[in-house]
Amino acid sequence: MTMASPMSPDADKMVEVVRAHSEAERRRDLDGTMATLVTHPVYALWNGLRIEGYDNVRESYRRQFEAEPTHRSLGSRGTINTWAGNDSVVLEAEMAAPDPGGETRKFFVIATFPFSDGLATGEIISCPPEFEGLMTSRYPDYTDLATPKPEVKS
């Protein structure tokens, strides 16, 4: 299901870019995935890491595709809802994965794609803590690619 804001004349175009991005990810097409992004993308991952810049984002995808050569090995059931606003697209996806006891559970993941000049500026990925632990254990370590968090001055 897709719902677009009547205020955004570019909603359909943004949704098509996100679909192209998702399809490129499924095919493990690094160049195709990166072609949907601005030149300085920013990713906010489920574990609090922030990855910035074309080279770092590209390397994170390279590691992901190498570690998980067949997309959705966690048992993803795919996108169940898509919303398009004035400058972003939000996907709700249902994922199925085993919990620590081995029982398959459903998890819902939200991915927000902000936009600028017709391309995604990155992704903001949110998921429940149980799924976050599973993702962190299955995906490569990206900490060397992460942007240091700014110091908070009191």
Side-chain angles (χ1 to χ4, degrees):
M1 171 169 60
T2 301
M3 294 186 287
S5 166
M7 299 174 67
S8 177
D10 297 325
D12 290 337
K13 292 177 188 173
M14 291 187 305
V15 168
E16 285 307 313
V17 169
V18 170
R19 286 185 179 144
H21 180 90
S22 297
E23 182 56 33
E25 282 185 352
R26 273 191 282 288
R27 290 190 322 266
R28 305 329 233 181
D29 176 356
L30 186 56
D31 291 333
T33 300
M34 296 304 295
T36 64
L37 301 172
V38 296
T39 57
H40 188 83
V42 177
Y43 272 62
L45 302 182
W46 60 89
N47 57 5
L49 291 180
R50 181 180 172 100
I51 300 175
E52 292 187 37
Y54 187 89
D55 292 339
N56 287 339
V57 169
R58 183 179 178 88
E59 176 61 14
S60 72
Y61 271 114
R62 188 197 66 73
R63 290 179 192 180
Q64 177 186 338
F65 294 170
E66 184 178 280
E68 189 182 44
T70 303
H71 188 60
R72 302 185 186 277
S73 66
L74 292 174
S76 172
R77 295 186 185 159
T79 300
I80 56 174
N81 284 306
T82 304
W83 296 273
N86 291 329
D87 60 1
S88 63
V89 173
V90 178
L91 301 181
E92 177 186 27
E94 182 180 293
M95 308 286 280
D99 66 17
E103 184 176 333
T104 299
R105 295 194 42 212
K106 292 180 189 177
F107 297 93
F108 293 93
V109 177
I110 302 293
T112 303
F113 293 82
F115 270 76
S116 178
D117 297 323
L119 294 172
T121 63
E123 278 186 68
I124 303 163
I125 305 166
S126 303
C127 60
E130 310 92 291
F131 193 68
E132 178 182 317
L134 179 65
M135 296 280 284
T136 301
S137 70
R138 298 236 356 185
Y139 277 76
D141 182 7
Y142 301 124
T143 53
D144 62 311
L145 301 175
T147 303
K149 292 182 180 177
E151 288 185 36
V152 177
K153 296 181 182 182
S154 49

